[in-house]
Amino acid sequence: MTDAGKGKPIVLIHGWPLSDEMYEYQYNDLVKKNFRVIGITFRGFGKSDKLYGAYNYDAAVPIWTHREDCPYNLPIKSVDDLIKLNNKDRPKLLSNFAKIFSANETSLNEGIGNWLNGINLSASSHATAECLVALRDTDLRNDLPKITIPTLIMHGKKDKICSFDLAELMKAGISDSKLVAFENSGHSLFLEETLKFNTELIKFAEK
């Protein structure tokens, strides 16, 4: 967990299978702009306790796998294959994930890639698999209309993990929302277009 700075709080929640360390290049800018920035690491990931038992993932995109009325992203069988690979060769799973994390395989330099891989490896195998199960099975589309606070959606147009269609679904489903597209980014927009990401976040948080 990271807790730095003083002022209006911003809570940053990491994605699978990273930790709050993924926001290293957001923390300094937010602190300098007089925010208190709190980075939370879920149990099972990063330096948090590696507990066994059930895991859920109630902070993800509306839906991550195909349904009859939602033909975006991965079929359920593909996620099943990811879980099987995790249980057989987790480093290989993470290596494959890294190849599609950005707009292309050279969007992030080797040093950043190795840094991210180290964070991913620090997660437990159990948590990595259980969160894939939750991502595979969870459908939060009905929750979107319940969100009534101002919402900023930032999404890479070249995202291979969560297609841009999902950002548009969120925009349509959340009444008071704004969508900012990152034309040159994949899933790692916070690293590929760091300046734009930080600027848009700060501008929104200052309102």
Side-chain angles (χ1 to χ4, degrees):
M1 178 177 174
T2 297
D3 190 342
K6 295 180 180 179
K8 186 178 180 180
I10 293 180
V11 178
L12 298 177
I13 299 174
H14 68 87
W16 176 95
L18 289 151
S19 78
D20 76 279
E21 294 175 70
M22 68 180 274
Y23 293 115
E24 178 173 332
Y25 301 102
Q26 280 66 56
Y27 290 134
N28 285 341
D29 281 359
L30 291 170
V31 169
K32 289 176 183 176
K33 288 292 184 177
N34 299 313
F35 289 99
R36 177 188 176 194
V37 58
I38 302 164
I40 295 174
T41 293
F42 293 125
R43 62 188 175 88
F45 297 89
K47 297 180 175 67
S48 290
D49 292 339
K50 307 297 192 295
L51 304 175
Y52 277 77
Y55 282 75
N56 58 40
Y57 207 106
D58 200 17
V61 293
I63 190 168
W64 196 48
T65 48
H66 289 185
R67 300 292 191 277
E68 288 184 4
D69 60 344
C70 191
Y72 309 121
N73 274 344
L74 300 176
I76 289 174
K77 183 185 181 303
S78 294
V79 184
D80 291 337
D81 291 340
L82 295 178
I83 295 168
K84 290 176 183 176
L85 182 57
N86 174 80
N87 296 336
K88 178 183 179 182
D89 188 346
R90 186 164 63 100
K92 178 64 173 176
L93 169 67
L94 298 177
S95 176
N96 292 347
F97 178 69
K99 292 176 182 178
I100 61 170
F101 193 52
S102 304
N104 57 63
E105 291 187 39
T106 60
S107 295
L108 301 178
N109 65 48
E110 184 178 2
I112 292 289
N114 290 338
W115 168 67
L116 288 171
N117 190 54
I119 299 174
N120 289 335
L121 284 169
S122 69
S124 78
S125 175
H126 177 73
T128 301
E130 287 297 305
C131 283
L132 280 172
V133 171
L135 285 165
R136 179 194 65 193
D137 297 342
T138 303
D139 184 351
L140 299 176
R141 287 177 292 173
N142 289 335
D143 286 352
L144 295 183
K146 301 174 186 176
I147 301 172
T148 58
I149 60 174
T151 302
L152 175 66
I153 303 162
M154 297 191 286
H155 205 108
K157 291 293 289 288
K158 299 178 181 179
D159 196 328
K160 302 180 183 72
I161 295 172
C162 298
S163 71
F164 195 76
D165 305 284
L166 296 177
E168 294 175 327
L169 282 177
M170 284 188 279
K171 176 68 175 70
I174 301 172
S175 58
D176 189 7
S177 62
K178 175 186 177 183
L179 173 58
V180 177
F182 284 64
E183 300 290 339
N184 300 313
S185 291
H187 200 63
S188 60
L189 65 163
F190 61 101
L191 293 171
E192 293 172 272
E193 296 183 74
T194 304
L195 178 59
K196 180 177 178 179
F197 183 95
N198 293 0
T199 300
E200 291 289 348
L201 176 57
I202 290 167
K203 181 170 63 175
F204 180 76
E206 286 178 337
K207 291 181 179 179

